[in-house]
Amino acid sequence: MPISSSPEPTVPSCAPPSRVRCRVAATVKALLGLTLTAAALVWGLPRAVGASWSQIGATIAGIPTWGLVALALLWAIGICSHTIMLAAAMPGLRHRQSLLMSQTGAAVANTLPLGGAAGTAVNFSMVRRWGFTGVDFARYAMVTNLWDTLFKLGLPVLAVTWLGATSPGENALFWTAMWSLLLLAAVVAGAGVLLRSDRLAHAAGHRAGRLAVRAGREVDPAAWARRAGEMRWDTAGLVARAWPRLTAGNVLYVVLQTALLGGCLLAVGASVDPAVVFAAYAAQQVLSLASLTPGAAGVVEVGMAGVLVALGVPAPAAAAGILVYRGFTFALEIPVGGSALVWWLVRGRHRAVSARPVPASADVEPAPTHVTHPPYVLPTPAYAVD
C-alpha cells in the first residue's frame, strides 16, 4: 500500500462540550507561566548572579546602536540558516516556507506555556495549505525532533570536552566528559536501532493503539502497527538521503547562534573565552527542554547567567549579555513571527474570497506532487505482538 494512502494524523482538539474547560485551563496555564517567568527574571536572576538590576541595566544601556544593528543582522542570518535543516526534513518544502514555519511556530511557542503543541498545529495547517500530506508532516516532525534532540544531547558533551581540554587539571570535568560521550553514543545507537527495526516499530504502534483504545478512542491497534511500520520505513529512507543536509544545517545554526551569544557578551564589555561561550549556549539547549514557562523563559536566563558567572564572567556583564541574547532569540521572535502569522492568515483568507469556480470543460492543471514513494510491503511477522 502506498504511503500516501495511509490515514493522516489529526491534530487533537477540545470537544465542543469541553471547550470552556479548555479555555479556562489555557488561561490558567498562561497566567501561571507568566508569573513564573516574571519571578525568575525579576527575583531569581539578580540573586543567581549576585548583581543588582541597576548594575545590569546600566551595562545594557551602554551598548551602542551600531552594535545592536550588527547583532540583529547576525540573528537574521542565523534563523535563515536554520531553514537548511527544515527544508531537508520535508522534500519539496521551500526555504522561505521553512522560514515562515520556524518563525510562526516560535512566536506561538514563546507566547504560550507548553506552546510547542500549538506551534505544531499552526505549522500543520500551513503545510496542508501548501499541498503536503499529513504523513509528510508527521515524518518532518519526527526527523526534526530527532535531530534537535541529538544535538541538544551532543552540545553539552562537546562543551564539557572543550572545557576539559582547556583545563587539564580538572579531573572531574574530564571524567564527566567521558561519561557524557558514552551516553551520547548510547542514544545514537538507540536511534539507529529504532529507525532500522520493523519489529520495534510495529510493536510500538500496536501498543500505542491499545492505549488509545483503553483511553476510549475507537481505533484498530493492528492499523496503528502497520502505520508505525510505514512511518519507520519512510523516515529511515529520508534520513539516509538527507542526513548530510540535516547535519550541516544544524551545525551552521549552532555556530551562528554561539557567535551571536559571544557578540552579545562582547557588546556589554565582557571578553569571554570561546569555550565558556559555547558552554553557556549548550546549557541553554538543555534548559530549553523545561516547558513550565513559554519558551522556558526565566529558567534559561537564570541558568545561562549562572554558568557564565561560575566560569569567571563578571556578574553584571553575564546577566546583561544573556538578556540581550534572549532579547533576540526569544523576545524578538514574538513580533516577527506574529506578524508573519497574521500575514499568512490574511493572505489565505484573501485567496479564499477571490477564488472562482472553474467550469467543468476548462483544462485544470494537476496539483503538484512532492515526493513519490514505492509501495510499502508489510513484512510477514515472525513474532507475536501483545
Side-chain angles (χ1 to χ4, degrees):
M1 182 179 68
I3 293 294
S4 58
S5 63
S6 301
E8 296 183 358
T10 57
V11 179
S13 59
C14 294
S18 61
R19 285 178 180 174
V20 175
R21 285 184 297 174
C22 287
R23 291 175 181 175
V24 171
T27 303
V28 171
K29 289 178 181 178
L31 293 176
L32 179 60
L34 291 175
T35 301
L36 291 175
T37 300
L41 290 177
V42 176
W43 181 84
L45 182 60
R47 286 164 177 77
V49 300
S52 65
W53 269 110
S54 59
Q55 294 174 312
I56 299 172
T59 304
I60 295 176
I63 303 176
T65 303
W66 67 266
L68 293 175
V69 173
L71 291 173
L73 180 60
L74 183 57
W75 168 79
I77 296 173
I79 62 173
C80 289
S81 70
H82 193 47
T83 64
I84 298 175
M85 185 194 76
L86 301 182
M90 186 181 292
L93 188 69
R94 300 176 181 177
H95 286 277
R96 60 180 180 84
Q97 293 172 330
S98 302
L99 182 61
L100 180 62
M101 288 177 62
S102 67
Q103 289 307 292
T104 53
V108 175
N110 292 351
T111 305
L112 303 174
L114 304 175
T120 300
V122 171
N123 289 164
F124 180 74
S125 300
M126 288 180 170
V127 298
R128 289 306 304 270
R129 182 182 293 183
W130 294 331
F132 294 92
T133 66
V135 173
D136 292 329
F137 182 76
R139 181 185 59 189
Y140 162 87
M142 183 181 299
V143 171
T144 54
N145 286 329
L146 173 62
W147 242 249
D148 284 339
T149 301
L150 290 177
F151 267 73
K152 286 182 178 182
L153 288 174
L155 290 179
V157 173
L158 294 177
V160 172
T161 304
W162 193 352
L163 288 173
T166 56
S167 303
E170 297 288 342
N171 293 329
L173 201 59
F174 171 79
W175 286 111
T176 301
M178 293 300 101
W179 284 111
S180 300
L181 284 171
L182 292 176
L183 177 62
L184 177 62
V187 172
V188 172
V193 170
L194 289 176
L195 287 176
R196 292 178 177 272
S197 174
D198 271 322
R199 178 169 183 164
L200 287 179
H202 297 150
H206 190 274
R207 293 186 183 278
R210 292 181 61 181
L211 290 176
V213 170
R214 293 176 184 176
R217 296 188 59 184
E218 296 181 0
V219 300
D220 181 9
W224 279 42
R226 183 181 184 87
R227 189 185 306 175
E230 294 171 351
M231 184 59 65
R232 182 218 63 81
W233 176 80
D234 200 21
T235 302
L238 174 63
V239 169
R241 296 188 304 270
W243 71 265
R245 289 179 61 201
L246 292 167
T247 304
N250 226 341
V251 168
L252 180 59
Y253 179 69
V254 167
V255 170
L256 290 172
Q257 289 289 94
T258 305
L260 176 62
L261 176 57
C264 292
L265 291 170
L266 285 176
V268 297
S271 180
V272 184
D273 185 85
V276 175
V277 176
F278 187 71
Y281 178 77
Q284 176 205 356
Q285 297 302 296
V286 176
L287 293 170
S288 63
L289 297 175
S291 57
L292 296 177
T293 61
V299 178
V300 168
E301 288 82 358
V302 172
M304 292 180 72
V307 168
L308 290 175
V309 171
L311 294 175
V313 180
I322 294 303
L323 288 176
V324 174
Y325 171 75
R326 290 285 286 173
F328 286 107
T329 60
F330 174 80
L332 188 57
E333 287 181 344
I334 296 176
V336 171
S339 301
L341 179 58
V342 171
W343 171 82
W344 178 77
L345 292 173
V346 172
R347 187 166 177 258
R349 290 178 181 176
H350 176 72
R351 285 186 173 183
V353 171
S354 61
R356 293 291 183 269
V358 179
S361 60
D363 294 332
V364 181
E365 294 184 1
T369 58
H370 297 284
V371 180
T372 58
H373 307 280
Y376 174 84
V377 179
L378 184 66
T380 302
Y383 60 93
V385 182
D386 297 331

